[in-house]
Amino acid sequence: MAGKINLEIDAVLEKYPEPEESLIAVLQGVQDIYGYISKDAVEYITEKTNIPSSRIMGVASFYAGFRLKPVGKYRIMVCMGTACHVNGSERIGDTVKRQLGIEAGDVTEDGLFSWEEVACLGCCSISPAMMINDTAYGMLTQEKVIEIIDSIKKGEGK
Amino acid sequence: MRFLLGYGSCGIASGANSVLEGLSECFFGTEFTVEKVGCNGLCFAEPIVEVICDDGESVLYGRLNKQSAVKLAESAKTGKLMQENRLSDDELRFLQGQKRIVLSGCGKVDPESLDSYIENGGYKALERALSMGSDKIIEEIKISGLRGRGGAGFPTHIKWQAAKNSQSDEKYIVCNADEGDPGAFMDRAVLEGDPHRVLEGMMISGIAIGAHMGVIYVRAEYPLAVKRLKKAIGELREKGLLGDNILNSGFSFDFNIMMGAGAFVCGEETALLASLSGNRGMPVTKPPFPAQKGFRKQPTNINNVETFANVSWIIENGGEAFASMGTEGSKGTKVFALAGRVKRGGLVEVPMGLTINDIVFGICGGIKDDAKVKAVQMGGPSGGCIPENMLDTVIDYENIARTGAIMGSGGMIVMDEKTCMVDMAKFFMDFTSKESCGKCVPCRIGTTRMLEILERIANGKGEESDIDTLVELGESIKTGALCGLGNSAPNPVLTTIKYFRNEYEAHIKEKCCPAKKCTALIRYSIVKDLCKGCSLCSRKCPVEAISGQIKSPYEIDAEKCVRCGQCIATCRFNAIKIISGEAKE
């Protein structure tokens, strides 16, 4: 990627005059565009800012919020918080896994779905809960999960 | 008539949008409008609409959907509000006995409108604080007895005084809105429901210590909170309540928002500061304290959302009024987030000094399905499980600490007989071992070893010496770890061993999980005499583990069964039982 210009990442970097102090915000900006932090993106940021790629990777790998692999168009986050756990979140995770046929952290072949287990979403009163992109779903049962996933698939013509 | 619709994340997830649709469609062309407000804490009855009649009477409707919302709207048009979907008197006990300071605006003000906050008395405290000046503000906070609501309960005025005493032209206020404690959601509710209250508290703190910049470190998992904070800050700027020389007072202040990237350890002050500077969130030893050398190496005061949300009330009503509530060492109110197996989960703000029973049974109506309470977990991964016979413990920082749990940020997870204590200990240890930043050995390796032992016990491979090893390991991690995360990580294990040692012993000696939760120790079985052979379970089973002939008893293949519970949920004849510890039975 050396020498190549990436206008999207440039636009993110422009917002932060001190990219080193704002490294987390920079990486969040990049992740918002691509859905994850790619090796190419890390190298590009290094090239532009002189922040060592080791430091960028150190930060990107430390925080649960950064993904080093691509995500699906629909990113399902199954809450593994305490209240959800007490109300059966493991079974919710198992159901998502069975419905999508992929392990946590992976993407379906059509690129439509990925799923992961996440720390508390703060929706404890409607546990068990999950989020798909920015929308929260609560009071889940295995059947409700199947319904939600099916309706997305249907909406996508699958 | 006013219609206030609960429009927090929890309300939206429960269907507030269809309620909005229903109401708006019916109200089209009429004088009525729907106001979107934050969560009023009655989460158990979401989606909620509060109708405030012209005479000031308030009627609460819960568990609405589009159809019932339409009915409500139609009834309002006729001038006679419908009876259906009203919260019962019993349910309304949830609100009685609460004293709301932090949550006073949640569900009342429009979180996306500065005018709404001001109409409800907002920013009066700021004006007052500007005329009081630094020393008087800190004195008032000192009189109030306010202690940090994020977990440790450190006296707020000492922090403010220390930051004030540090000499520098550049100082910072940081709001810790990285609510990472699983089971706590009061900060989310306040940020989503009444963001200006937090901003006002931060600005007053800025006057007190001489800071001109406030940084909010908020969880990225709370997109709605981020959106509303941004909107609130934007509106303040437009109205000239931010920037240079606010209200001609000579005081200048501005805000910056930074989104956290998902690390529980960032609740620790020094780790949070590292994260704010674009680094891995790893704690460092104190001193220097943030009040001396914090953000950008300048004096910094860090408080949590709930702490800041108390400030404007204290300045307006006086420290004495705040201190008149609570116990000897713990003043004012505290917000608790009730969840788990409790009948009415939600947010409860009460004066310190009530008992846990008062909250769980008095306010929240007891346990789901009227089951028997087993324990209440307080303080999340840093706290502990308080057993049923100790639920008359009076809530204040010291009393809760004496049980082995901590007040923490106020999460209360209620557990019934179906909750396995070994499983809970394992759950928390799994959390802390993943969230350990890895810097110090006791925490990094210690929590991993504790988790391995707990997994072994839950899998029926525990040894008799395991319990003592866990206690020994736990105690050494508590004393040896660098920061609060490690110091408190063993608490969930140590308290469950202290109060529920028999459950650990049952797992180890009898290979039995008394709560019938640990999958390696349980087996599903169909009771032949009860099974009618309807085949429903067999059709629902996701792994085709159930087989048989219609109208004769079915059977479960234990090898295939994943113990998901789907069959039990479907069976209409109660014919499926969970068996654990067969050797004993």
Side-chain angles (χ1 to χ4, degrees):
Chain A
M1 194 152 156
K4 236 175 149 183
I5 294 167
N6 184 323
L7 291 175
E8 285 166 316
I9 297 182
D10 284 347
V12 172
L13 286 170
E14 243 166 59
K15 281 199 271 180
Y16 302 100
E18 288 177 56
E20 182 133 23
E21 185 191 278
S22 312
L23 183 55
I24 291 175
V26 168
L27 292 176
Q28 284 167 337
V30 170
Q31 184 163 280
D32 279 346
I33 301 169
Y34 301 105
Y36 74 111
I37 311 284
S38 67
K39 197 176 157 224
D40 285 350
V42 172
E43 281 171 6
Y44 190 75
I45 298 168
T46 299
E47 199 182 298
K48 284 280 172 173
T49 61
N50 286 326
I51 303 171
S53 51
S54 58
R55 184 163 131 56
I56 301 176
M57 282 308 292
V59 169
S61 61
F62 183 84
Y63 294 96
F66 291 123
R67 299 177 295 274
L68 303 172
K69 285 202 287 190
V71 287
K73 181 175 174 189
Y74 296 92
R75 180 177 163 227
I76 304 180
M77 290 159 272
V78 180
C79 180
M80 292 290 154
T82 320
C84 289
H85 180 80
V86 171
N87 283 322
S89 59
E90 266 170 87
R91 288 170 186 175
I92 302 303
D94 287 344
T95 310
V96 173
K97 184 169 143 180
R98 265 198 306 274
Q99 287 308 108
L100 301 181
I102 51 170
E103 293 294 319
D106 289 344
V107 189
T108 51
E109 257 178 38
D110 56 10
L112 217 47
F113 293 98
S114 62
W115 82 279
E116 60 210 274
E117 295 178 348
V118 296
C120 186
L121 293 169
C123 296
C124 316
S125 52
I126 50 166
S127 59
M130 68 180 185
M131 256 173 125
I132 302 182
N133 297 339
D134 272 354
T135 309
Y137 297 84
M139 305 273 181
L140 295 173
T141 57
Q142 303 188 48
E143 270 147 355
K144 224 166 144 182
V145 170
I146 296 171
E147 243 172 65
I148 293 166
I149 293 176
D150 282 350
S151 79
I152 294 177
K153 281 186 185 163
K154 221 173 137 193
E156 290 285 337
K158 300 257 166 178
Chain B
M1 233 184 282
R2 292 174 61 202
F3 297 83
L4 310 181
L5 168 68
Y7 207 69
S9 294
C10 42
I12 296 172
S14 313
N17 275 319
S18 6
V19 175
L20 180 64
E21 251 178 61
L23 291 176
S24 310
E25 279 169 21
C26 285
F27 286 161
F28 186 73
T30 70
E31 57 185 311
F32 299 126
T33 54
V34 185
E35 297 168 54
K36 288 192 257 178
V37 295
C39 168
N40 63 7
L42 294 146
C43 310
F44 63 90
E46 299 269 21
I48 287 182
V49 170
E50 182 180 9
V51 183
I52 299 176
C53 304
D54 297 332
D55 59 2
E57 195 202 345
S58 143
V59 187
L60 278 159
Y61 290 91
R63 302 177 187 91
L64 292 166
N65 53 26
K66 192 167 175 182
Q67 287 95 325
S68 48
V70 168
K71 260 179 108 177
L72 171 62
E74 294 297 346
S75 77
K77 283 202 261 185
T78 65
K80 204 167 167 236
L81 287 168
M82 70 174 190
Q83 291 298 321
E84 299 101 307
N85 287 85
R86 287 192 188 204
L87 297 194
S88 68
D89 288 343
D90 189 37
E91 287 176 318
L92 289 173
R93 276 171 54 206
F94 186 84
L95 284 173
Q96 293 150 9
Q98 290 205 41
K99 166 72 191 163
R100 292 193 157 188
I101 293 176
V102 171
L103 299 178
S104 56
C106 288
K108 301 283 174 207
V109 303
D110 177 352
E112 302 201 14
S113 156
L114 172 58
D115 288 340
S116 169
Y117 183 65
I118 291 176
E119 274 162 30
N120 283 278
Y123 290 108
K124 269 195 202 144
L126 177 71
E127 259 187 272
R128 181 144 187 209
L130 284 168
S131 63
M132 284 165 77
S134 166
D135 288 332
K136 273 194 183 156
I137 296 173
I138 297 180
E139 183 58 26
E140 215 55 57
I141 298 294
K142 186 177 175 184
I143 294 170
S144 76
L146 178 63
R147 295 169 68 171
R149 296 295 193 240
F154 193 77
T156 305
H157 74 95
I158 299 181
K159 272 188 167 178
W160 289 22
Q161 189 68 53
K164 178 191 152 73
N165 291 348
S166 294
Q167 294 303 316
S168 172
D169 296 337
E170 191 186 336
K171 295 184 186 179
Y172 294 95
I173 302 291
V174 172
C175 175
N176 180 356
D178 193 41
E179 188 169 54
D181 179 351
F185 51 98
M186 61 284 291
D187 291 354
R188 176 181 63 74
V190 176
L191 294 168
E192 286 181 359
D194 200 7
H196 283 288
R197 188 170 302 274
V198 182
L199 300 179
E200 188 176 8
M202 289 177 73
M203 288 166 85
I204 294 171
S205 177
I207 302 170
I209 75 157
H212 304 294
M213 175 59 86
V215 184
I216 305 161
Y217 186 87
V218 56
R219 285 187 86 189
E221 289 90 337
Y222 289 176
L224 192 60
V226 174
K227 182 184 147 209
R228 289 184 177 163
L229 277 170
K230 283 187 177 161
K231 175 131 198 215
I233 293 168
E235 272 201 284
L236 280 175
R237 270 198 205 117
E238 271 169 37
K239 295 247 162 100
L241 283 165
L242 270 191
D244 293 334
N245 194 17
I246 297 166
L247 300 170
N248 274 325
S249 60
F251 172 66
S252 306
F253 202 81
D254 212 335
F255 286 105
N256 209 342
I257 295 180
M258 169 162 168
M259 285 200 282
F264 178 65
V265 69
C266 288
E268 206 280 340
E269 294 186 323
T270 59
L272 191 153
L273 289 171
S275 183
L276 276 182
S277 310
N279 294 307
R280 290 160 71 97
M282 291 167 127
V284 292
T285 46
K286 294 188 271 194
F289 289 94
Q292 298 144 354
K293 203 173 154 190
F295 184 50
R296 295 184 176 149
K297 301 196 167 56
Q298 300 300 328
T300 301
N301 173 51
I302 307 177
N303 287 129
N304 123 302
V305 171
E306 193 184 335
T307 314
F308 281 125
N310 273 300
V311 170
S312 60
W313 191 94
I314 293 171
I315 295 301
E316 258 201 279
N317 298 276
E320 297 269 4
F322 193 81
S324 71
M325 293 175 281
T327 65
E328 185 63 37
S330 307
K331 302 296 187 191
T333 61
K334 174 81 193 82
V335 184
F336 295 98
L338 271 289
R341 304 290 304 160
V342 68
K343 201 176 269 175
R344 290 174 205 138
L347 292 174
V348 175
E349 182 172 3
V350 287
M352 299 266 195
L354 265 64
T355 66
I356 303 172
N357 269 329
D358 289 338
I359 294 182
V360 174
F361 290 92
I363 292 175
C364 297
I367 314 302
K368 267 186 199 166
D369 310 322
D370 290 316
K372 195 170 170 297
V373 64
K374 184 174 195 175
V376 172
Q377 211 282 345
M378 279 188 74
S382 313
C385 290
I386 303 172
E388 193 244 337
N389 61 9
M390 290 173 73
L391 295 184
D392 55 357
T393 303
V394 167
I395 299 169
D396 72 4
Y397 288 97
E398 282 69 30
N399 275 314
I400 298 297
R402 238 168 266 139
T403 67
I406 60 165
M407 178 85 85
S409 47
M412 275 192 188
I413 307 284
V414 179
M415 298 163 181
D416 65 7
E417 295 291 339
K418 284 183 191 157
T419 314
C420 168
M421 289 299 150
V422 175
D423 179 67
M424 280 322 291
K426 185 176 73 139
F427 167 79
F428 282 118
M429 201 42 76
D430 179 54
F431 179 84
T432 33
S433 67
K434 277 180 191 152
E435 294 294 337
S436 170
C437 81
K439 183 167 177 169
C440 75
V441 172
C443 180
R444 183 183 68 236
I445 300 178
T447 55
T448 307
R449 290 290 168 266
M450 284 182 84
L451 176 62
E452 284 168 1
I453 297 174
L454 290 165
E455 280 174 342
R456 188 159 79 209
I457 296 175
N459 284 327
K461 303 208 168 89
E463 295 154 22
E464 289 205 26
S465 59
D466 278 348
I467 300 179
D468 291 336
T469 313
L470 280 174
V471 173
E472 197 186 323
L473 251 174
E475 293 298 344
S476 44
I477 296 170
K478 277 181 88 157
T479 46
L482 171 69
C483 82
L485 187 148
N487 296 144
S488 59
N491 287 346
V493 182
L494 296 176
T495 53
T496 45
I497 291 179
K498 187 171 163 193
Y499 300 122
F500 300 96
R501 198 182 176 100
N502 56 340
E503 277 194 42
Y504 280 82
E505 285 168 349
H507 281 73
I508 295 170
K509 291 181 190 161
E510 293 150 21
K511 310 297 171 204
C512 163
C513 174
K516 299 183 176 170
K517 169 87 178 123
C518 296
T519 44
L521 298 179
I522 57 169
R523 182 169 76 79
Y524 282 60
S525 166
I526 296 178
V527 183
K528 285 204 167 82
D529 295 345
L530 295 174
C531 178
K532 306 271 188 238
C534 74
S535 86
L536 196 59
C537 60
S538 140
R539 280 179 279 145
K540 281 283 174 190
C541 176
V543 290
E544 294 172 5
I546 308 177
S547 57
Q549 291 291 322
I550 287 278
K551 290 189 181 164
S552 51
Y554 275 61
E555 271 187 13
I556 298 179
D557 181 343
E559 290 290 308
K560 279 190 190 166
C561 172
V562 290
R563 292 142 179 92
C564 71
Q566 193 72 338
C567 50
I568 294 191
T570 16
C571 180
R572 283 171 292 180
F573 310 103
N574 258 332
I576 302 165
K577 296 271 176 285
I578 305 176
I579 298 168
S580 185
E582 277 164 289
K584 191 181 130 211
E585 283 173 17

